[in-house]
């Protein structure tokens, strides 16, 4: 009677559960479609049709460019020369009424400042004073014709002069010249420019410098012609600032012997900074009191006036050229009080007038100067291009970086035939030029005319000028570079890593050598970039309430965690160097390590085989989920209860990934497979088109096209995961109910 009642109740129960007794094949088919990535019912899957990728062929590209270059007609020739010589473009449109006055005033003031700087920087470059004036004169004229910048002032630059002087002194020592007497110790010098068989120290020094300038200009022109202006981007602002400060400290150290009137050798190579200070204190008792007093008086006059110029520059029509006044007064005082004869003060000596016959660089020196020329070329065009872009942006006119490289290269290549050393845009003179109202590069012609007057008539008047005054002028003009020392605390607050780059570059440039310091700074900065991408920031995201925005849970408060869904963001591209860190961060943030769980599964399976009376499956052994009957053993792993896992979906936000290499893709596919074995689906969101193609070509998305990854936002992926999980749960409940009823039916039949 009881059995018959049960048999009568079963049909009514089956009828009350719509869809509960679906046939087994339809259940299996539906579950399979869900695990393969079919969108849930009612879910709108966004698919954007991608444009066809451009079929880039190197051969066709080269042929196209060659046809454009080789096309020769009247218009292309005019365009070519206007681009190579921008003066042909702006000079016909020059407005004499509105632009001439500002250019003349600015050119005169810059020329007045350039006179003492040219002489003092010659001393820094181990050259006679006349060659510094030559350098500023010729480079200024050439830059007028070829520059796109209206404000750059090209000429001798302290950092470059330091590097030139180091290279020149090294070659002087190799050639056997005594630093103190200037005599030739070994017959290893080239012939002089006058045609004789001997060459004194000054002759050999300028031969090395002009050969170096030729190579520097050649490097810079090649970089400009080959459109390699992007090389300068590797010289970051902290790196350049640290290099300039380190070089400035080295320059100050090298000039201290002139301020004290000491005759000590100039050290080169590693540790020259420390060795020079050791010699300064060792021979301090030999200080020339006349030079010391002159230096202190000059510093006491120049520095306050410079500070006044900086403070009231907006109210003053033009800054006071205090360096020139001090140079003139010091020359007159030294001449009439006979400082050289009475107190043995070091003076400039005879400075010739006029121009010398052009000469050729010494080809024999090219092999030994090739390495020295490279960092000088890089620093020279980096300073020139950066200053040009700064003032171009400030005043609203375009600057072509590659043309600037060609221009500064010609400013070094052509003047090398006229006894000039390497030059670049000078910060001090450029700032002065901009502040005094320059309009075009015509002001550089005015500056060159001022220097021409010095070359033809005025230069011999500086015979009695003390070298101590030149050292003071050099040191005072380094104030702008040394100000970066005061900005390091603020830099530390903004970026600690950039501050470390600054200090490493500065210390290496000071304590080792300027060339090695620059190399160390570049390498360390690149290592910092690699380090940032190798161990980037990784975070779990939470949802902003009442918005479709997801942010870092550790950075913001009041974010909502999505139930059973983990959203992981990796803020870098995925490649071979950070793939291991990606997995480590992912497992740590989500709290689920599929590899470790797989090992536990394997251990549980081995134990289950050994225990013959154990009816548990692998997942039940690990997670403690007992199966109620044999028929439930046929369910897929995704239907087994996993109480120790708090997620059913992992979403990876790829918005910060610019690219993924083959190693990263293999790791991603392996990780996806490991999570899938635990019943956790892995979805990708915010993939850029390049990343999508790489994933699709790499076989990431199995089943329907882009079924597992084509989500254009994190919110879209979350909606997909929630609806899909809801359908799986409903399907599971219907299937479980059907199995329960089937068991009851079997028991009733018994």
């Amino acid at each position: 009677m009881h059995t018959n009642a049960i048999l009568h109740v079963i049909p009514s129960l089956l009828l009350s559960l719509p869809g509960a007794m679906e046939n087994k094949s339809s259940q299996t088919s539906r579950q399979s479609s869900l695990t393969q990535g079919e969108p849930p019912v009612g879910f709108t899957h966004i698919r954007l049709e991608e444009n066809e990728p451009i079929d880039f062929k190197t051969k066709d590209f080269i042929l196209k460019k060659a046809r454009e270059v080789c096309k020769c007609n009247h218009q292309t020739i005019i365009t070519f020369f206007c681009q190579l010589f921008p003066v042909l473009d702006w000079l016909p449109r020059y407005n004499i009424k509105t632009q001439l006055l500002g250019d003349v005033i600015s050119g005169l003031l810059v020329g007045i400042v350039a006179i003492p700087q040219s002489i003092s920087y010659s001393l820094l470059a181990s050259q006679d004073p006349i060659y510094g004036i030559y350098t500023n004169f010729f480079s200024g004229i050439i830059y007028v014709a070829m520059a796109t910048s209206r404000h750059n002032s090209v000429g001798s630059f302290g950092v470059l002069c330091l590097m030139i002087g180091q290279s020149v002194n090294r070659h002087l020592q190799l050639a056997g010249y005594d630093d103190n007497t200037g005599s030739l110790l070994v017959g290893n010098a080239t012939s002089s420019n006058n045609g004789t068989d001997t060459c004194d120290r000054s002759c050999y020094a300028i031969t090395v410098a002009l050969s170096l300038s030729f190579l520097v200009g050649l490097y810079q022109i090649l970089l400009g012609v080959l459109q390699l202006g992007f090389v300068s981007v590797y010289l970051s602002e902290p790196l350049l600032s640290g290099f300039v400060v380190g070089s400035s400290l080295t320059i100050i150290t090298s000039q201290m012997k002139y301020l004290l009137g000491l005759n000590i050798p100039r050290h080169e190579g590693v540790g020259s900074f420390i060795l020079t200070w050791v010699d300064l204190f060792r021979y301090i008792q030999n200080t020339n009191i006349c030079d010391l007093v002159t230096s202190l008086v000059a510093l006491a006059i120049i520095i306050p006036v410079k500070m006044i110029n900086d403070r009231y520059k907006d109210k003053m029509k033009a800054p006071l050229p205090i360096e020139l006044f001090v140079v003139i007064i010091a020359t007159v005082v030294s001449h009439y009080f006979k400082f050289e004869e009475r107190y043995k003060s070091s003076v400039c000596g005879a400075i010739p007038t006029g121009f010398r016959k052009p000469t050729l660089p010494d080809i024999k020196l090219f092999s030994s100067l090739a390495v020295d020329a490279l960092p000088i070329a890089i620093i020279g065009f980096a300073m020139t291009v950066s200053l040009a872009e700064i003032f171009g942006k400030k005043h609203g006119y375009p600057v072509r970086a590659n043309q600037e490289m060609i221009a500064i290269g010609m400013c070094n290549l052509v003047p090398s035939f006229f006894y000039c050393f390497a030059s670049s845009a000078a910060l001090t003179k450029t700032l002065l030029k901009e502040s005094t109202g320059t309009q075009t590069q015509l002001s550089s012609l005015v500056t060159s005319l001022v220097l021409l007057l010095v070359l033809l008539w005025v230069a011999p008047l500086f015979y009695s000028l003390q070298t101590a005054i030149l050292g003071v002028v050099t040191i005072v003009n380094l104030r702008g570079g040394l100000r970066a020392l005061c900005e390091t605390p603020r830099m530390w607050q903004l970026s600690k890593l950039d501050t470390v780059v600054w200090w490493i570059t500065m210390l290496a440039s000071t304590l080792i050598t300027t060339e090695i310091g620059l190399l160390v700074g570049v390498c360390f900065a690149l290592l910092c970039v690699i380090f940032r991408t190798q161990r980037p920031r990784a975070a779990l995201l939470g949802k902003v309430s009442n918005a479709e925005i997801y942010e870092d849970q550790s950075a913001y408060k009041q974010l909502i965690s999505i139930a059973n869904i983990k959203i992981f963001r990796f803020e870098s591209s995925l490649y071979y160097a950070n793939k291991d860190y990606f997995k480590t961060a992912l497992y740590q943030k989500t709290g689920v390590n599929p590899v470790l769980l797989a090992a536990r599964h394997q251990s549980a399976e081995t134990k289950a085989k050994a225990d013959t009376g154990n009816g548990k499956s692998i997942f039940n052994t690990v997670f403690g989920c007992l199966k109620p009957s044999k028929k439930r053993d046929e369910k897929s792993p995704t239907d087994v209860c996993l109480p120790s896992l708090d997620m059913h979906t992992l979403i990876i936000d790829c918005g910060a990934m610019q690219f993924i290499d083959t190693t990263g893709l293999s790791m991603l596919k392996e990780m996806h497979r490991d999570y899938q074995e635990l019943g956790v689906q892995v979805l990708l969101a915010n993939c850029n088109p390049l990343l999508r193609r790489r994933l699709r070509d790499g076989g990431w998305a199995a089943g329907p096209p882009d079924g597992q990854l084509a989500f254009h936002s994190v919110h879209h992926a979350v909606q997909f995961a929630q609806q899909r999980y809801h359908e799986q749960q409903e399907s599971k409940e219907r299937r479980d109910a059907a199995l329960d009823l089937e068991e009851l039916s079997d028991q009733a039949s018994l």
Side-chain angles (χ1 to χ4, degrees):
M1 181 71 182
H2 181 69
T3 302
N4 293 333
I6 293 176
L7 292 174
H8 282 87
V9 170
I10 287 175
S12 62
L13 289 174
L14 294 178
L15 292 174
S16 65
L17 294 173
M21 292 299 292
E22 294 176 340
N23 59 69
K24 186 174 182 180
S25 61
S26 64
Q27 293 175 8
T28 305
S29 174
R30 180 174 180 81
Q31 178 62 28
S32 175
S33 67
L34 286 174
T35 57
Q36 287 181 357
E38 287 288 353
V41 177
F43 179 80
T44 304
H45 199 78
I46 300 176
R47 283 192 175 90
L48 298 178
E49 185 177 355
E50 297 182 4
N51 294 323
E52 291 294 329
I54 299 174
D55 187 14
F56 179 81
K57 294 182 179 179
T58 306
K59 181 179 178 181
D60 295 341
F61 177 78
I62 294 175
L63 290 176
K64 180 181 178 182
K65 288 295 182 182
R67 292 190 192 99
E68 293 177 359
V69 173
C70 296
K71 186 186 296 183
C72 184
N73 54 47
H74 181 72
Q75 186 61 37
T76 55
I77 293 175
I78 294 177
T79 303
F80 171 77
F81 279 102
C82 287
Q83 289 181 348
L84 185 61
F85 300 100
V87 66
L88 299 176
D89 182 43
W90 61 262
L91 188 59
R93 296 182 285 105
Y94 189 83
N95 192 326
I96 297 178
K97 294 182 179 180
T98 59
Q99 296 178 323
L100 183 61
L101 181 60
D103 286 340
V104 171
I105 294 175
S106 177
L108 287 173
L109 293 173
V110 174
I112 291 171
V113 172
I115 295 172
Q117 285 190 7
S118 301
I119 300 174
S120 60
Y121 283 160
S122 299
L123 196 67
L124 185 61
S126 297
Q127 304 298 324
D128 290 341
I130 190 64
Y131 299 127
I133 303 175
Y134 284 160
T135 299
N136 285 269
F137 173 76
F138 284 106
S139 61
I141 294 176
I142 296 173
Y143 194 73
V144 169
M146 304 192 70
T148 59
S149 172
R150 303 174 190 171
H151 294 85
N152 271 2
S153 179
V154 172
S156 52
F157 179 51
V159 175
L160 293 191
C161 290
L162 172 66
M163 301 171 73
I164 295 166
Q166 291 174 343
S167 180
V168 168
N169 285 328
R170 186 163 55 251
H171 282 79
L172 286 173
Q173 292 176 2
L174 292 175
Y177 287 95
D178 186 359
D179 185 66
N180 295 326
T181 63
S183 62
L184 180 62
L185 300 180
V186 182
N188 190 27
T190 59
S191 61
S192 70
N193 299 298
N194 296 326
T196 60
D197 294 333
T198 59
C199 182
D200 60 8
R201 188 179 187 277
S202 173
C203 166
Y204 191 73
I206 189 57
T207 301
V208 174
L210 66 88
S211 301
L212 183 64
S213 178
F214 180 87
L215 290 177
V216 169
L218 187 62
Y219 286 159
Q220 292 171 336
I221 292 173
L222 288 176
L223 289 173
V225 171
L226 297 176
Q227 306 290 301
L228 297 178
F230 67 89
V231 176
S232 61
V233 303
Y234 294 102
L235 302 178
S236 64
E237 183 178 348
L239 187 149
L240 275 177
S241 176
F243 176 77
V244 170
V245 171
S247 301
S248 299
L249 294 176
T250 305
I251 293 172
I252 292 174
T253 301
S254 67
Q255 298 300 299
M256 286 302 296
K257 66 178 183 180
Y258 300 114
L259 270 66
L260 299 176
L262 296 177
N263 192 8
I264 61 175
R266 182 169 177 172
H267 296 282
E268 303 296 336
V270 179
S272 59
F273 179 84
I274 298 176
L275 292 175
T276 301
W277 280 104
V278 170
D279 282 348
L280 287 173
F281 285 105
R282 180 184 300 172
Y283 299 103
I284 193 77
Q285 68 276 8
N286 298 330
T287 299
N288 189 305
I289 302 301
C290 179
D291 287 340
L292 177 61
V293 172
T294 303
S295 301
L296 293 176
V297 171
L299 287 171
I301 295 174
I302 295 177
I303 292 179
V305 175
K306 282 279 190 180
M307 295 175 66
I308 293 174
N309 285 339
D310 292 340
R311 185 170 183 178
Y312 298 101
K313 61 182 179 181
D314 296 332
K315 299 180 180 180
M316 301 172 63
K317 294 183 178 180
L320 187 66
I322 187 62
E323 296 102 324
L324 182 62
F325 291 160
V326 169
V327 166
I328 294 174
I329 295 172
T331 303
V332 172
V333 172
S334 175
H335 174 73
Y336 283 103
F337 287 92
K338 302 184 183 302
F339 283 171
E340 182 183 12
E341 294 83 0
R342 291 183 179 180
Y343 307 107
K344 306 300 179 185
S345 292
S346 177
V347 296
C348 290
I351 302 178
T353 58
F355 296 94
R356 302 180 64 176
K357 294 180 180 180
T359 186
L360 294 175
D362 192 346
I363 301 177
K364 297 178 182 178
L365 295 172
F366 283 178
S367 58
S368 59
L369 291 173
V371 177
D372 293 344
L374 186 59
I376 296 176
I378 294 175
I379 292 298
F381 84 72
M383 294 298 298
T384 303
V385 172
S386 61
L387 286 175
E389 290 179 345
I390 288 172
F391 290 106
K393 184 182 297 184
K394 180 178 179 180
H395 293 274
Y397 61 86
V399 172
R400 289 185 282 126
N402 290 309
Q403 177 60 28
E404 286 295 318
M405 290 174 62
I406 295 175
I408 195 62
M410 293 299 293
C411 290
N412 288 319
L413 184 76
V414 176
S416 66
F417 299 103
F418 299 94
Y419 302 93
C420 301
F421 48 84
S423 61
S424 72
L427 178 61
T428 305
K429 290 184 291 185
T430 300
L431 291 174
L432 175 62
K433 190 175 181 179
E434 190 263 346
S435 63
T436 51
T438 186
Q439 300 292 322
T440 66
Q441 278 295 337
L442 192 67
S443 59
S444 295
L445 285 180
V446 179
T447 301
S448 295
L449 288 176
V450 174
L451 295 174
L452 180 62
L453 295 176
V454 176
L455 285 171
L456 296 180
W457 295 290
V458 182
L461 300 179
F462 293 107
Y463 177 94
S464 299
L465 177 61
Q466 294 171 268
T467 55
I469 297 296
L470 298 179
V472 169
V473 172
T474 301
I475 291 175
V476 168
N477 281 286
L478 299 175
R479 291 170 57 250
L482 294 176
R483 284 173 184 162
L485 279 169
C486 303
E487 298 177 0
T488 50
R490 181 175 175 272
M491 189 189 304
W492 179 261
Q493 295 177 354
L494 295 176
S495 174
K496 294 179 174 58
L497 203 56
D498 285 344
T499 309
V500 173
V501 171
W502 189 94
W503 279 103
I504 291 293
T505 307
M506 190 274 290
L507 292 175
S509 301
T510 304
L511 301 179
I512 308 177
T513 62
T514 51
E515 295 87 351
I516 296 178
L518 178 63
L519 180 62
V520 169
V522 171
C523 293
F524 185 77
L526 292 177
L527 286 176
C528 289
V529 173
I530 295 173
F531 176 77
R532 285 174 173 175
T533 59
Q534 190 173 0
R535 297 184 66 86
R537 182 179 176 83
L540 284 182
L541 306 185
K543 184 176 183 295
V544 179
S545 58
N546 301 324
E548 299 178 0
I549 301 174
Y550 296 81
E551 288 293 346
D552 184 0
Q553 291 182 344
S554 63
Y556 298 98
K557 300 178 181 179
Q558 299 176 346
L559 295 179
I560 302 172
S561 297
I562 309 299
N564 298 323
I565 297 177
K566 300 290 186 181
I567 308 172
F568 177 75
R569 181 165 65 194
F570 192 69
E571 298 181 357
S572 173
S573 298
L574 185 59
Y575 66 111
Y576 67 93
N578 61 12
K579 65 178 182 63
D580 293 331
Y581 180 75
F582 177 89
K583 289 196 296 185
T584 302
L586 176 63
Y587 298 161
Q588 181 183 2
K589 296 291 183 181
T590 60
V592 177
N593 188 337
V595 178
L596 181 60
L597 293 179
R600 292 179 181 175
H601 297 170
Q602 185 68 27
S603 176
E605 184 179 16
T606 304
K607 183 178 179 181
K609 290 180 179 179
D611 189 1
T612 56
N614 191 352
K616 300 178 182 179
S617 68
I618 297 174
F619 282 90
N620 291 332
T621 302
V622 176
F623 302 108
C625 298
L626 295 176
K627 291 185 179 181
S629 66
K630 182 178 179 180
K631 293 195 176 192
R632 297 202 181 187
D633 195 32
E634 298 176 357
K635 292 191 293 181
S636 62
T638 56
D639 294 327
V640 181
C641 76
L642 302 173
S644 64
L645 292 179
D646 60 347
M647 68 174 181
H648 57 73
T649 301
L650 171 64
I651 300 175
I652 300 177
D653 182 6
C654 303
M657 291 187 186
Q658 297 180 356
F659 68 90
I660 180 172
D661 67 353
T662 54
T663 306
L665 181 58
S666 299
M667 185 277 302
L668 203 61
K669 292 166 64 177
E670 179 184 355
M671 179 268 301
H672 173 258
R673 185 172 56 254
D674 292 339
Y675 274 109
Q676 199 172 32
E677 290 178 355
L678 298 180
V680 177
Q681 64 176 345
V682 179
L683 307 177
L684 304 182
N686 289 329
C687 298
N688 61 55
L690 179 63
L691 198 61
R692 288 172 179 272
R693 285 193 290 268
R694 177 60 62 87
L695 292 169
R696 185 168 54 246
D697 295 341
W700 160 265
D706 291 350
Q708 295 171 349
L709 63 93
F711 298 101
H712 297 279
S713 68
V714 173
H715 186 69
H716 193 215
V718 170
Q719 288 180 324
F720 175 86
Q722 289 175 332
Q723 294 186 30
R724 182 175 177 183
Y725 180 73
H726 179 68
E727 287 192 4
Q728 287 178 338
Q729 291 299 108
E730 288 182 348
S731 177
K732 176 184 174 183
E733 291 174 359
R734 289 194 297 266
R735 193 164 53 250
D736 289 347
L739 289 173
D740 290 340
L741 293 176
E742 188 176 351
E743 289 174 9
L744 290 175
S745 177
D746 292 343
Q747 293 176 5
S749 63
L750 295 176

